[in-house]
Amino acid sequence: MLVFRKDDRILHAQHGLGTVVEADDRYTVVSFDTSGVRKFVTRLVELAGSDIPAPPPAPPTRKRRSRSAVPVSSTVRGDA
């Protein structure tokens, strides 16, 4: 049984390329480049080592402010 170490790059037939997040004799957790994080039973999963480097992390996205439903007026009416 081949146990991969954390940060090893792997190739899976269905999910493609990924990086090992956690591995022991029971479970192997892999973060795949395109299909997210998956947890496998180590003795059943078929993984191959890969020399292809991980893609660069995505740049942080800028959060947009939410607009309120009621417009705020700059003048206050005090006259009646």
Side-chain angles (χ1 to χ4, degrees), residues 5-79:
R5 290 176 285 146
K6 184 177 179 189
D7 296 327
D8 282 349
R9 290 289 291 165
I10 57 91
L11 177 64
H12 185 268
Q14 183 177 357
H15 299 291
L17 292 168
T19 303
V20 176
V21 175
E22 188 179 326
D24 58 28
D25 58 339
R26 295 183 67 198
Y27 298 105
T28 300
V29 181
V30 180
S31 175
F32 289 99
D33 297 348
T34 57
S35 60
V37 177
R38 302 279 191 242
K39 185 175 185 178
F40 301 99
V41 175
T42 300
R43 65 182 174 89
L44 300 177
V45 69
E46 294 181 18
L47 301 173
S50 174
D51 292 332
I52 299 172
T61 57
R62 187 172 176 185
K63 293 182 181 179
R64 290 206 275 174
R65 288 182 156 177
S66 62
R67 294 187 175 194
S68 61
V70 179
V72 177
S73 176
S74 60
T75 59
V76 178
R77 287 189 158 182
D79 307 304

